[in-house]
Every structure is written in C-alpha cells, then in structure tokens.
C-alpha cells in the first residue's frame, strides 16, 4: 500500500506448495508475517524497516534474528543499486 511518502509491503511464506523456483536442497523459512515499510525521505534516501514474524515451529536464537534482518536489508539495497544502474 502507498500512504503519502510511505510504501508498505506485506507477505508470508507459501506453506501448501513449494514454488518452482526454490531448489530442492534448501529449506524455506516459515514466515507467518513479513511487513516492510519504505519511507521515502528524499529522492535519494529511503529508510527501510523490516518486521518479520516466524512460525512458532521454527526456533531461532536471538543473535540470528538480527542476521536475518541484515540479509533482507542487503537484498533490498542490492536491488536498489541494480535498478539505479539500469537507468
């Protein structure tokens, strides 16, 4: 959804079927709720906030939770750089 200068993305894991693009030798993370908030501060600055709620079946140590956020953040930053370079 778009609300002024804030764009929100929401998602969840697909549990009932395995998407065809996911290799057989990897395990999909059971995400119950994923909210990404993109706040456009200026044309050259965007603040990203990630809120990830994992399924109760998955037990993740506290220090790994931050790593997950860093991985998702790096993914978005690289996609942003790719889009900038395409133009």
């Amino acid at each position: 959804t778009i609300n002024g200068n804030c764009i929100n993305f929401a998602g969840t894991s697909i549990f009932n079927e395995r998407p065809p693009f996911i290799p057989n030798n990897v395990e999909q993370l059971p995400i119950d709720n994923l909210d990404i908030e993109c706040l456009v501060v200026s044309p050259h600055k965007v603040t990203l906030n990630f809120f990830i709620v994992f399924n109760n079946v998955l037990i993740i140590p506290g220090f790994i939770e931050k790593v997950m956020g860093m991985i998702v953040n790096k993914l978005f930053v690289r996609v942003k750089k790719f889009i900038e370079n395409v133009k």
Side-chain angles (χ1 to χ4, degrees):
T1 60
I2 300 174
N3 185 10
N5 62 343
C6 186
I7 303 169
N8 293 318
F9 298 94
T12 186
S13 292
I14 301 170
F15 296 111
N16 55 355
E17 64 182 54
R18 186 178 193 84
F21 54 86
I22 295 180
N24 290 330
N25 61 346
V26 299
E27 184 177 341
Q28 185 177 358
L29 289 175
I31 298 174
D32 279 344
N33 190 20
L34 170 65
D35 291 324
I36 304 169
E37 178 185 271
C38 303
L39 179 62
V40 180
V41 179
S42 73
H44 302 285
K45 183 176 181 181
V46 176
T47 303
L48 298 173
N49 292 311
F50 300 90
F51 305 98
I52 302 173
V53 178
F54 291 103
N55 189 310
N56 290 338
V57 174
L58 182 68
I59 298 172
I60 299 178
F63 66 92
I64 296 293
E65 289 182 17
K66 181 148 179 116
V67 171
M68 295 299 299
M70 290 171 42
I71 291 170
V72 174
N73 186 37
K74 183 171 270 195
L75 176 95
F76 271 91
V77 169
R78 287 187 178 181
V79 168
K80 176 186 171 284
K81 286 181 182 179
F82 173 78
I83 292 170
E84 290 173 349
N85 290 331
V86 169
K87 293 181 180 181

